[in-house]
């Protein structure tokens, strides 16, 4: 009789759902997904939740394979020695293998006043609270969005498109990932929405008050509502449970995504730091890493050697309101090409990307093992470079 293998997946985001679905390839594997929410959150839609054009939730029945057991709870501790996790509701859940896909959320802001007076939006709960605040705020109230990355740009554009007076404070360059040509297109679109963009070295926020945002160059911006989109943090569950983590709190793994502490624990998504060189946080990377984490577990169950992760980034996209966007093509090393698509076509490609981020999960649920992704040699070269620098440092020290 075939022995059954119990796999617990912590986290029901893009990485966790993809991993759970992929594990159902084997009939002798029982998969339990533990997540604090009863619905899947497509985080690519959170700026639309804030803007009021999407509710940013999907029923788990639409994205989870039938064979996956969903437990709505929060894991408070991982007992690696005992191979079990402790949910907040009490008791324990045992496992043979654990996939840690706890995701990311709001990082605690270090700028004075930001925690008290600025509104984060990296989670469903904080985005909903911000939506409620916006509903109660007059349309003429000046809004300041802090952060020039995709979340900041998309949120600022959503609100400006509704006619609100919005200032986007970048703290550096607008959309630093974008090629200068694409950045110019985005700037023109934002200006056309009436949005004020402040970028450059003097635009780092130094303090937030109830009705103003203070910048490094001495400027004080009136702000009746401040939105904080700077930085993501990861849960401290892994660190609290005694697992080795990087300085942010991501689980340190080898290139197969296996914890450096325990081969029964595999990490994926935003909470994984393979070789202490984590991938860029994104829904795309999370889904691919979730699939690879499942492949690592399945390889171990089959008694074969897991493969190292291989992932390249073909593109990155950002919406500029509901009617425009930028779809930025990228080299395999995740640097921007000159090639991009803007305007309405860019918006359509962005919408397709959001749809496909969920469709990949539903496809994997129906046909586990189906998900594929672009590969590349860049990471191996990067690792060789890092190891070469480390060896050179050791030689110089000797």
């Amino acid at each position: 009789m075939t022995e059954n293998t119990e796999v617990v997946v912590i986290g029901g985001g893009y990485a966790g759902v993809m991993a759970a679905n992929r594990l159902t390839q084997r009939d002798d594997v029982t998969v339990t997904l533990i997540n604090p929410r009863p619905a899947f959150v497509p985080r690519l839609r959170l700026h639309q939740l804030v803007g009021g054009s999407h509710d940013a939730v999907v029923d788990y029945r639409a994205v989870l394979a039938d064979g996956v057991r969903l437990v709505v709870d929060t894991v408070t501790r991982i007992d690696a020695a005992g191979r079990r996790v402790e949910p907040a509701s009490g008791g324990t859940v045992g496992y043979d293998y654990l996939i840690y896909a706890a995701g990311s959320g709001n990082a605690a802001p270090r700028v004075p006043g930001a925690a008290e007076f600025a509104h984060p939006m990296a989670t469903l709960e904080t985005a909903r609270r911000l939506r409620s605040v916006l509903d109660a705020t007059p349309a003429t109230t000046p809004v300041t969005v802090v952060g020039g990355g995709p979340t900041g740009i998309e949120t600022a554009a959503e609100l400006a498109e509704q006619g609100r007076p919005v200032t986007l404070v970048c703290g550096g360059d607008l959309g630093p990932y974008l090629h200068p040509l694409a950045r110019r297109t985005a700037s023109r679109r934002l200006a056309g929405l009436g949005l004020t963009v402040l970028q450059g070295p003097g635009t780092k926020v130094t303090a937030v008050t109830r009705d103003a945002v203070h910048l490094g160059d001495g400027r004080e911006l009136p702000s009746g509502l401040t939105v904080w989109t700077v930085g993501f943090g990861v849960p401290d569950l892994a660190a609290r449970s005694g697992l080795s983590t990087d300085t942010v709190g991501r689980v340190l793994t080898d290139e197969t995504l296996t914890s450096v502490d325990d081969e029964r624990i595999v990490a994926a998504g935003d909470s994984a730091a393979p070789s202490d060189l984590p991938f860029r946080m994104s829904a795309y990377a999370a889904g691919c890493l979730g699939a690879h984490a499942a492949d690592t577990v399945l390889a171990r169950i089959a008694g074969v050697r897991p493969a190292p992760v291989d992932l390249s980034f073909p593109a990155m996209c950002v919406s500029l309101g509901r009617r425009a966007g930028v779809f930025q093509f990228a080299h395999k090393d995740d640097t921007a090409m000159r090639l991009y698509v803007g305007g309405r076509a860019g918006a359509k490609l962005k919408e397709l990307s959001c749809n496909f981020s969920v469709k990949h999960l539903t496809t994997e649920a129906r046909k586990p093992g189906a998900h594929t992704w672009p590969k590349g040699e860049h990471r191996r070269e990067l690792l060789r470079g890092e190891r070469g620098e480390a060896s050179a440092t050791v030689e110089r020290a000797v």
Side-chain angles (χ1 to χ4, degrees):
M1 184 175 181
T2 304
E3 183 179 351
N4 194 70
T5 301
E6 300 279 348
V7 183
V8 169
V9 180
I10 297 176
Y14 294 103
V17 171
M18 180 63 77
N21 288 344
R22 200 170 183 91
L23 287 166
T24 62
Q25 291 177 77
R26 291 183 62 120
D27 294 334
D28 59 348
V29 173
T30 299
V31 186
T32 300
L33 177 71
I34 305 177
N35 190 67
R37 302 181 190 91
F40 174 75
V41 179
R43 284 179 55 182
L44 293 175
R45 301 283 194 185
L46 287 180
H47 66 284
Q48 289 183 254
L49 169 59
V50 171
S53 62
H54 202 284
D55 60 6
V57 290
V58 174
D59 194 317
Y60 268 123
R61 289 175 295 183
V63 296
L64 269 183
D66 292 339
V68 177
R69 173 183 173 231
L70 174 65
V71 175
V72 180
D73 209 333
T74 299
V75 174
T76 58
R77 181 174 174 267
I78 300 167
D79 177 4
R83 291 185 194 165
R84 57 191 179 187
V85 300
E86 300 174 4
S89 60
T92 61
V93 180
Y95 65 83
D96 295 303
Y97 290 93
L98 175 70
I99 293 183
Y100 186 88
S104 61
N106 304 293
R110 298 180 180 179
V111 173
E116 294 84 0
F117 303 113
H119 297 269
M121 51 161 294
T123 66
L124 178 66
E125 293 75 18
T126 55
R128 281 176 170 172
R129 284 196 291 270
L130 176 56
R131 177 68 249 168
S132 296
V133 172
L134 278 163
D135 287 342
T137 301
T140 55
T141 300
V143 177
T144 302
V145 178
V146 180
T151 304
I153 293 171
E154 292 182 333
T155 304
E158 291 282 329
L159 300 181
E161 194 173 59
Q162 297 174 8
R164 289 182 178 271
V166 181
T167 298
L168 176 61
V169 178
C170 298
D173 291 332
L174 172 74
Y177 175 89
L178 298 173
H179 188 277
L181 294 176
R183 189 177 300 125
R184 197 176 309 151
T185 295
S187 296
R188 286 198 297 265
R189 167 61 180 174
L190 295 177
L193 292 174
L195 197 155
T196 300
V197 177
L198 302 181
Q199 58 180 321
T203 61
K204 289 189 178 297
V205 175
T206 57
V208 179
T209 63
R210 190 179 302 277
D211 54 9
V213 171
H214 299 260
L215 305 185
D217 59 10
R219 279 180 287 181
E220 179 179 328
L221 308 176
S223 182
L225 177 61
T226 301
V227 181
W228 196 264
T229 71
V230 180
F232 286 84
V234 301
D236 64 352
L237 172 62
R240 284 191 289 107
S241 300
L243 297 177
S244 296
T245 63
D246 66 3
T247 56
V248 176
R250 292 171 286 214
V251 175
L252 289 175
T253 76
D254 64 15
E255 284 298 289
T256 71
L257 304 183
T258 303
S259 164
V260 297
D261 303 309
D262 189 336
E263 71 171 12
R264 297 279 180 157
I265 298 177
V266 181
D270 291 353
S271 288
S275 301
D276 205 11
L277 290 171
F279 292 91
R280 171 167 59 85
M281 290 182 176
S282 65
Y284 162 74
C288 298
L289 294 176
H292 190 87
D295 289 346
T296 291
V297 171
L298 291 171
R300 287 220 162 84
I301 294 172
V304 299
R305 186 176 180 178
V309 66
D310 191 356
L311 168 65
S312 65
F313 289 75
M316 180 266 201
C317 47
V318 58
S319 65
L320 304 170
R322 294 296 84 215
R323 296 183 294 275
V326 168
F327 188 90
Q328 173 70 72
F329 290 93
H331 299 285
K332 289 186 176 181
D333 64 355
D334 200 24
T335 58
M337 295 179 177
R338 289 174 58 90
L339 180 63
Y340 73 96
V341 178
R344 289 186 179 274
K348 290 181 179 179
L349 288 172
K350 164 68 176 180
E351 181 64 19
L352 281 174
S353 296
C354 290
N355 290 337
F356 272 116
S357 71
V358 175
K359 188 176 186 299
H360 289 320
L361 302 178
T362 61
T363 299
E364 191 72 17
R366 294 192 303 269
K367 187 179 179 182
H371 187 60
T372 61
W373 56 92
K375 310 295 195 297
E377 295 292 326
H378 171 70
R379 184 164 180 85
R380 295 178 188 176
E381 296 170 0
L382 179 63
L383 288 168
R384 283 195 294 267
E386 288 285 328
R387 288 163 184 159
E389 289 180 13
S391 298
T393 301
V394 170
E395 290 174 4
R396 286 195 295 271
V398 172

